[in-house]
Amino acid sequence: APNCPRNSIMMPDRKNWAPRLGIAYALRKNTVIRSGFGMFFDFNSNIEQNSIRVSSANWPYSDSLSITGQNTDILGPLSPVLSLSNPWPTTTGAPPGSNQSISRFDRTPYAMEWNFGIEQFLPGAIKLSVDYVGSGGRRLVDARYQNMAVLGSGSISSRQPVHNASIFAWRATDGNSNYDALQMKLERSFKTGLTFMNSFTWSKGFDTSSDANNTIGPPAYTYDVGLSYGPTDFNIPVVNTTSFVYNIPGGRGQRFGSSMGRIPDQIIGGWESSAIINIRSGTDYSVLAGSDVTNLGIDAGQVAEMVSPAVPSGFKQTQIEWFNKSAFQLPTAGTLGNTSRNFLIGPAYQDVDFALMKNVRI
């Protein structure tokens, strides 16, 4: 763009160093310790910010330009026609004053991942592993509402930094996330007709916004993003999954009925069972005010006011009423609610898939 001081829209980020280290050490014959650390950069976000999100000469603001009927034989209807040397022909109309803006000083998002675990081989072809797994996202793409009014009295425009402008979306790389988990796995290799695996995860994930596109909502208050720091929108604290395949030992050549005739073997032999059992806790959710009672100029995920326990002692949770609805009310006008983001947990989930199969030799 004419007002861009360099050939690239974004200032280059030349400090992306991504070390990776992995260690495995055998304490003894059947015991192994493993640990690792790595940094991984999200170059897709950097490309997106450079090419897609800023799409006109109105840098650093973005706008979309839709042109139809550009046929190479007709060469119209625009004059001058579109070409690689002139991809942005002269257009009329006001500049996109309140669409979306990004910082040209954005850095490349990255994640740090680390783990430490012990793996033990047990009798019966069973392997047990216990791991601590953690990760931290930094410089994550996050959308904020800029020119939001500050808390206080008076008109909204009088409390906005730029009084004659509206609120607009601002994409920056200043989001953070953290994840910590205990992961355990008990696994049996296929032996004597049986294989199984049980995986257990106890974890917690935190961030200020779980979606760069903000389909759920950006931080509620631009001037204190820490108020929106809480469990992620996809946080599931406990997950346990058990799966197995078992060849029932009946029929010719098996433990039971090994010498039976061919006809009985067709009925009794060749049976196999399998199952997947999934048990997990519920996901987190918030209770929102549903309107701009804070008087900021936009309803950006403003939370409700809690006046009594959401799930009091003796309260029976049902599908109709999972929490005490009378525990919440609208915040006092001009103030933020006292609840936090994703502080409630939804119902748990259980699922069982079972199969009984008959293998027939032809």
Side-chain angles (χ1 to χ4, degrees), residues 296-313:
L296 299 177
I298 192 169
D299 176 20
Q302 297 174 22
V303 295
E305 185 85 8
M306 187 167 65
V307 295
S308 62
V311 185
S313 177

Side-chain angles (χ1 to χ4, degrees), residues 217-231:
Y221 190 51
T222 297
Y223 308 108
D224 191 354
V225 177
L227 294 175
S228 296
Y229 185 77

Side-chain angles (χ1 to χ4, degrees), residues 18-280:
R20 316 229 180 127
L21 176 66
I23 299 174
Y25 177 67
L27 285 176
R28 49 183 181 267
K29 181 180 178 181
N30 293 328
T31 305
V32 176
I33 292 178
R34 292 188 174 92
S35 183
F37 174 85
M39 292 180 64
F40 306 88
F41 285 86
D42 180 14
F43 292 104
N44 181 65
S45 292
N46 185 276
I47 295 172
E48 176 183 314
Q49 293 162 21
N50 273 278
S51 61
I52 301 175
R53 294 296 177 183
V54 179
S55 56
S56 75
N58 229 52
W59 181 90
Y61 302 96
S62 69
D63 192 21
S64 60
L65 179 64
S66 299
I67 300 173
T68 59
Q70 289 296 294
N71 187 290
T72 55
D73 295 329
I74 303 174
L75 296 180
L78 291 180
S79 179
V81 297
L82 288 178
S83 65
L84 290 177
S85 60
N86 183 25
W88 299 104
T90 302
T91 58
T92 60
S98 57
N99 198 327
Q100 178 173 257
S101 181
I102 66 173
S103 171
R104 67 188 182 95
F105 299 102
D106 278 354
R107 305 293 84 184
T108 307
Y110 68 92
M112 299 176 292
E113 299 181 4
W114 55 89
N115 63 78
F116 175 82
I118 300 177
E119 188 175 82
Q120 177 69 43
F121 194 71
L122 304 173
I126 297 176
K127 182 174 62 178
L128 172 66
S129 59
V130 180
D131 297 90
Y132 161 70
V133 177
S135 69
R138 301 295 182 264
R139 304 176 184 171
L140 303 181
V141 178
D142 199 3
R144 307 288 171 86
Y145 285 127
Q146 293 288 39
N147 206 35
M148 178 187 290
V150 298
L151 287 172
S153 58
S155 65
I156 292 176
S157 61
S158 66
R159 290 180 285 115
Q160 289 179 291
V162 183
H163 303 318
N164 62 345
S166 61
I167 295 176
F168 61 92
W170 169 267
R171 293 174 68 91
T173 51
D174 54 6
N176 293 315
S177 68
N178 295 285
Y179 173 84
D180 295 282
L182 169 67
Q183 298 181 1
M184 302 175 65
K185 183 170 68 172
L186 191 66
E187 186 175 7
R188 186 184 195 271
S189 301
F190 190 78
K191 185 178 181 181
T192 62
L194 173 66
T195 177
F196 71 83
M197 181 172 65
N198 187 88
S199 300
F200 173 79
T201 301
W202 178 37
S203 65
K204 199 71 174 179
F206 287 87
D207 59 21
T208 52
S209 179
S210 297
D211 184 0
N213 295 317
N214 292 301
T215 57
I216 299 175
Y221 190 51
T222 297
Y223 308 108
D224 191 354
V225 177
L227 294 175
S228 296
Y229 185 77
T232 64
D233 297 323
F234 43 82
N235 180 57
I236 302 177
V238 177
V239 178
N240 190 91
T241 302
T242 304
S243 60
F244 71 85
V245 176
Y246 180 54
N247 290 338
I248 300 174
R252 300 177 67 176
Q254 301 295 323
R255 185 185 309 174
F256 304 105
S258 59
S259 59
M260 65 175 51
R262 183 175 180 181
I263 300 300
D265 180 63
Q266 291 292 329
I267 301 173
I268 298 175
W271 287 96
E272 174 186 315
S273 65
S274 64
I276 301 175
I277 305 168
N278 184 23
I279 303 172
R280 63 171 174 81

